[in-house]
Amino acid sequence: QKYSGKATFTNKTGATITGPFHVTFSGLAAGITLDNASGQHNGVPYITATGGSVAPGASVSVSISSE
């Protein structure tokens, strides 16, 4: 079965945060794969959020697709 969703992260600090931003997905159950992974680091898949920086109070989102 295919699952999809979106994760949104908001900069709650008082300063702009500069990317890139990588959202990692460790501990996935056996047989679950991240279909839209940007890559892997030490065997853990990640998705890179677009955008170079996030201003205070602004958000960045990533789409998630797994099977």
Side-chain angles (χ1 to χ4, degrees), residues 1-5 28 31-36 64-67:
Q1 187 170 8
K2 196 161 192 86
Y3 298 93
S4 63
L28 294 175
I32 302 294
T33 57
L34 192 60
D35 294 339
N36 63 329
I64 304 164
S65 177
S66 65
E67 193 169 330

Side-chain angles (χ1 to χ4, degrees), residues 6-59:
K6 180 170 92 170
T8 301
F9 302 91
T10 302
N11 178 1
K12 301 274 187 177
T13 73
T16 297
I17 302 172
T18 303
F21 306 100
H22 304 290
V23 181
T24 61
F25 294 83
S26 61
L28 294 175
I32 302 294
T33 57
L34 192 60
D35 294 339
N36 63 329
S38 301
Q40 288 192 4
H41 178 71
N42 293 331
V44 177
Y46 65 85
I47 297 174
T48 301
T50 57
S53 62
V54 181
S59 299

